[in-house]
Amino acid sequence: KAGVTQTPRYLIKTRGQQVTLSCSPISGHRSVSWYQQTPGQGLQFLFEYFSETQRNKGNFPGRFSGRQFSNSRSEMNVSTLELGDSALYLCASKRDRGKIGETQYFGPGTRLLVL
Amino acid sequence: KQEVTQIPAALSVPEGENLVLNCSFTDSAIYNLQWFRQDPGKGLTSLLLIQSSQREQTSGRLNASLDKSSGRSTLYIAASQPGDSATYLCAVRPEETSGSRLTFGEGTQLTVNP
């Protein structure tokens, strides 16, 4: 069974540009979450999508947005990139939202470098 | 606001040693707590998940305990091996309605020397 896949794995952009990252969850998983990981702030929750609807949002500016498609694949977009957006962006999926004891499965991440 | 702290930030031990990693959280009203492992440049792998009603979980050489009232969890690794070298992260799910939203600690970077 294939794991969570993220594309691209590495990305270099310049300030002011925008970027779109993609995440394909494990087959049958309907919940997709995004996290940002930086050396200074650690892992921080961005947002969660379930059944094409955003269910939870972290404390990030509106430049960070996302969406989920009917096949549960998800994209996140960052507009007007800033140097501080350089990070490892991790996607995680799980089958359902509320099932007791269910864990999230993380992808390998997309490493974004903003110059 | 929930805050999660992990001590120590880094740990270096010789192979074969038993070790304990610590995690503390400020709000005891959690739904569950998870321990993850992260290898350099890679995603996270879930090791153990403890529901708020449970006291501990075991998997192989790993044992995680949870004391909700004191806001603490420990991850015990028995007979450590070089392959255990990684960053270990503790994460709490604040409440049932928080869905997949986890609050992470900064992690403990473990090095097991052969």
Side-chain angles (χ1 to χ4, degrees):
Chain A
K1 192 173 185 181
V4 178
T5 58
Q6 293 186 244
T7 57
R9 292 293 312 279
Y10 304 93
L11 207 47
I12 300 176
K13 292 285 188 179
T14 56
R15 279 181 300 173
Q17 287 187 309
Q18 76 165 18
V19 66
T20 299
L21 311 182
S22 180
C23 172
S24 293
I26 293 172
S27 177
H29 285 195
R30 297 187 297 164
S31 169
V32 174
S33 299
W34 290 88
Y35 291 83
Q36 181 196 64
Q37 186 175 31
T38 60
Q41 300 295 321
L43 264 159
Q44 293 185 289
F45 173 81
L46 279 157
F47 26 64
E48 177 194 6
Y49 286 87
F50 182 81
S51 294
E52 302 177 65
T53 302
Q54 187 179 93
R55 303 294 178 139
N56 251 306
K57 190 176 192 305
N59 189 26
F60 279 83
R63 300 186 296 106
F64 291 81
S65 63
R67 59 178 176 168
Q68 186 180 35
F69 302 95
S70 58
N71 62 358
S72 295
R73 190 176 70 84
S74 176
E75 290 181 346
M76 67 163 281
N77 183 276
V78 187
S79 62
T80 319
L81 284 166
E82 299 177 0
L83 296 179
D85 296 333
S86 295
L88 180 66
Y89 290 87
L90 293 165
C91 166
S93 78
K94 66 179 187 178
R95 188 173 300 276
D96 206 340
R97 295 190 74 228
K99 186 177 177 184
I100 292 176
E102 186 174 17
T103 188
Q104 295 184 60
Y105 295 87
F106 281 78
T110 292
R111 186 164 295 280
L112 172 65
L113 176 62
V114 182
L115 302 176
Chain B
K1 177 190 170 188
Q2 178 74 270
E3 292 183 359
V4 181
T5 304
Q6 291 187 245
I7 294 173
L11 184 61
S12 181
V13 301
E15 181 177 3
E17 192 160 300
N18 301 326
L19 56 101
V20 174
L21 307 181
N22 297 291
C23 170
S24 61
F25 44 96
T26 54
D27 186 346
S28 62
I30 65 169
Y31 185 62
N32 63 38
L33 182 146
Q34 277 187 268
W35 283 92
F36 291 89
R37 166 187 173 141
Q38 185 174 30
D39 293 281
K42 297 189 178 180
L44 279 62
T45 301
S46 178
L47 298 173
L48 291 165
L49 182 151
I50 311 176
Q51 289 297 131
S52 61
S53 58
Q54 298 175 319
R55 297 282 298 189
E56 66 177 321
Q57 282 283 352
T58 298
S59 176
R61 295 182 294 108
L62 306 179
N63 176 276
S65 68
L66 174 64
D67 184 342
K68 221 176 67 159
S69 61
S70 67
R72 294 181 182 180
S73 176
T74 60
L75 178 66
Y76 175 83
I77 303 177
S80 58
Q81 303 171 357
D84 295 331
S85 298
T87 296
Y88 290 80
L89 293 147
C90 160
V92 300
R93 181 174 162 182
E95 56 193 22
E96 186 173 358
T97 57
S98 59
S100 299
R101 180 180 192 143
L102 300 178
T103 301
F104 282 85
E106 291 285 327
T108 293
Q109 187 173 359
L110 173 66
T111 302
V112 181
N113 302 298

